[in-house]
């Protein structure tokens, strides 16, 4: 029982040192177009899939007037969230949140 705890501690201490050696790791800091499982893996912050059957890839965040999704708890998007400074103007419904289909349009909150 002591060995797994020591092994876990060693891995936790070693992981940052190993990732510091590589500016771009295999799991995080993925570029646009690379396969992903979670948005946290992507430099852009958006892991995007076209459909439920397609592979997810890192994609750029949505620009002004582009379709968007509000931030998701799933870490995977059919439409990327907006770039910094923009808001995703969407009618939030409980059904849309559950099915990850509550899409909107990126807008500048300071605009008219």
């Amino acid at each position: 029982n002591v060995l797994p705890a020591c092994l876990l501690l060693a891995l936790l201490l070693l992981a940052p040192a190993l990732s510091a050696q590589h500016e771009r790791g295999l799991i995080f800091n993925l570029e646009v177009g690379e396969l992903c499982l979670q948005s946290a893996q992507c430099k852009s912050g958006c892991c995007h899939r076209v459909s439920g059957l397609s592979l997810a890839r890192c994609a750029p965040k949505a620009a002004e007037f582009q379709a968007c999704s509000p931030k998701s708890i799933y870490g995977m998007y059919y439409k990327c969230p907006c770039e910094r400074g923009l808001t995703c103007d969407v009618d939030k419904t409980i059904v849309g949140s559950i099915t990850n289909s509550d899409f909107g349009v990126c807008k500048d909150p300071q605009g008219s």
Side-chain angles (χ1 to χ4, degrees):
N1 244 357
V2 174
L3 183 60
C6 290
L7 185 59
L8 180 62
L9 182 60
L11 287 173
L12 288 173
L13 294 173
L14 191 58
L18 290 174
S19 65
Q21 289 178 347
H22 304 286
E23 188 174 303
R24 188 188 148 281
L26 294 174
I27 298 173
F28 291 97
N29 290 326
L30 298 177
E31 299 288 344
V32 167
E34 292 189 272
L35 293 173
C36 56
L37 296 172
Q38 285 281 328
S39 290
Q41 294 177 280
C42 305
K43 281 184 180 179
S44 68
C46 179
C47 187
H48 172 265
R49 67 176 357 153
V50 176
S51 71
L53 299 175
S54 64
L55 293 172
R57 296 182 181 274
C58 293
K61 287 200 172 174
E64 193 170 10
F65 307 119
Q66 287 186 329
C68 59
S69 290
K71 287 281 186 188
S72 167
I73 57 170
Y74 305 112
M76 181 95 50
Y77 295 97
Y78 291 108
K79 304 284 183 198
C80 287
C82 300
E83 294 172 340
R84 185 184 307 264
L86 300 175
T87 58
C88 190
D89 189 21
V90 62
D91 287 331
K92 293 184 180 177
T93 63
I94 212 66
V95 174
S97 296
I98 292 169
T99 61
N100 202 11
S101 64
D102 51 350
F103 305 133
V105 176
C106 290
K107 292 187 177 173
D108 182 350
Q110 310 301 325
S112 47

